[in-house]
């Protein structure tokens, strides 16, 4: 049996919304919203990397039980879920109770 949670983006997006996180959904879920059938197993987000947004993001991620997806790919500081770590422009892959989240800070065109 896999330890991966079933992917359910709704509670993830609700937590982000509840905390007022500024973000844009990209990737498979974004194209699916436009009617393109595409399987996806994670939520790809571009997040604003400013101090206030990083705090809101840290609160939302804590609410949904986020943790580093693969700690071996990250140094100790980049695996933290805190305002101080999230304000840095480092892309992260996180696992939550509702599935995986890929946080990006800069994507051309977004």
């Amino acid at each position: 049996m896999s330890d991966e949670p079933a992917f359910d983006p709704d509670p993830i997006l609700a937590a982000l919304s509840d905390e007022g996180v500024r973000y844009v959904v990209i990737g498979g879920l974004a194209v699916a919203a436009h009617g393109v059938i595409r399987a996806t197993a994670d939520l790809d987000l571009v997040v604003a990397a400013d101090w206030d947004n990083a705090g809101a993001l840290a609160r939302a991620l804590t609410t949904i039980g986020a943790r580093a997806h693969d700690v071996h790919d990250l140094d100790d500081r980049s695996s933290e879920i805190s305002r101080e770590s999230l304000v840095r422009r480092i892309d992260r892959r996180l696992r939550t109770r509702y599935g995986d989240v890929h946080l990006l800070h800069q994507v051309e065109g977004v």
Side-chain angles (χ1 to χ4, degrees), residues 10-23 50-64 81 83 86:
D10 291 338
I12 300 169
L13 295 170
L16 296 171
S17 178
D18 289 348
E19 292 296 338
V21 176
R22 294 186 330 278
Y23 67 93
D50 62 69
W51 187 251
D52 290 336
N53 202 55
L57 180 59
R59 288 188 302 275
L61 292 173
T62 299
T63 299
I64 58 176
I81 306 297
R83 175 184 284 196
L86 294 172

Side-chain angles (χ1 to χ4, degrees), residues 1 3 13 17 23 27 39 45-46 54-57 70 72 77 80-83 86 89 92 100:
M1 187 167 143
D3 67 342
L13 295 170
S17 178
Y23 67 93
L45 303 172
V46 178
L57 180 59
D70 187 355
H72 301 295
R77 292 184 314 163
E80 296 173 13
I81 306 297
S82 67
R83 175 184 284 196
L86 294 172
R89 296 182 182 272
R92 292 174 176 76
D100 293 347

Side-chain angles (χ1 to χ4, degrees), residues 3 9 13 23 28 36 41 52 58 61 63 65 73-74 84-85 91-92 95 97 102 109:
D3 67 342
L13 295 170
Y23 67 93
V36 177
D52 290 336
L61 292 173
T63 299
D73 291 341
L74 304 169
E84 292 77 10
S85 67
D91 294 349
R92 292 174 176 76
R95 176 147 296 155
R97 287 190 294 274
H102 185 194

